[in-house]
Amino acid sequence: MYIIDICGDDEFSGIEGIINLAEKMIKIKKNLIFSLVYMLIKFSLLLPVTTATVERVVSAIHIIKSRLQNRMRDKWMNDSLVIYIEKYIFNKIDNEIIMKQFQNIKTRREQL
């Protein structure tokens, strides 16, 4: 059904690439009629992004684990990875705020 409908529609004659196909489907509301096809197109557009994200996480695991020589527990490693992977967010936080928050968690022998 999809191939017959798209091939017979002049709106799709000048399409060059999967991004243009997805945009055109939304524009003329074919994404509602062929929702499964549109979902497949959407997933194919997301695949490179998710692959890059997974590669970034694996690279971060390598850096974190090699530096600490596999001596950490899973929770601490997960926390470290979140900070390393999302470092652009954590770089915006002032170190004084982090030290005060850490100091307030538990009484320390010395002030930071």
Side-chain angles (χ1 to χ4, degrees):
M1 251 355 236
Y2 170 76
I3 295 173
I4 295 169
D5 190 42
I6 297 300
C7 289
D9 195 342
D10 292 335
E11 292 272 343
F12 290 94
S13 61
I15 297 295
E16 294 181 12
I18 196 165
I19 295 173
N20 294 340
L21 176 62
E23 289 173 346
K24 185 64 79 171
M25 284 183 75
I26 292 170
K27 183 178 178 184
I28 61 174
K29 308 260 190 261
K30 294 279 187 182
N31 63 320
L32 302 175
I33 298 167
F34 300 108
S35 60
L36 294 177
V37 173
Y38 179 71
M39 189 181 311
L40 182 63
I41 292 170
K42 206 165 55 169
F43 286 147
S44 68
L45 291 171
L46 287 174
L47 187 61
V49 175
T50 52
T51 303
T53 303
V54 169
E55 287 176 1
R56 200 172 101 206
V57 169
V58 169
S59 174
I61 289 172
H62 253 278
I63 291 169
I64 299 290
K65 290 284 274 189
S66 65
R67 286 188 183 160
L68 298 173
Q69 300 171 357
N70 298 326
R71 293 180 290 168
M72 63 178 81
R73 293 189 181 137
D74 286 339
K75 177 158 178 21
W76 195 73
M77 186 180 84
N78 288 341
D79 294 343
S80 298
L81 285 172
V82 168
I83 292 170
Y84 182 80
I85 292 168
E86 305 296 340
K87 61 186 163 207
Y88 63 93
I89 294 173
F90 287 96
N91 285 339
K92 296 177 185 176
I93 301 172
D94 185 32
N95 288 338
E96 290 294 323
I97 295 171
I98 295 171
M99 289 190 316
K100 286 179 184 176
Q101 181 70 24
F102 182 73
Q103 191 68 40
N104 290 335
I105 292 173
K106 184 177 176 184
T107 306
R108 309 274 176 220
R109 291 181 201 165
E110 296 182 29
Q111 293 291 325
L112 298 176

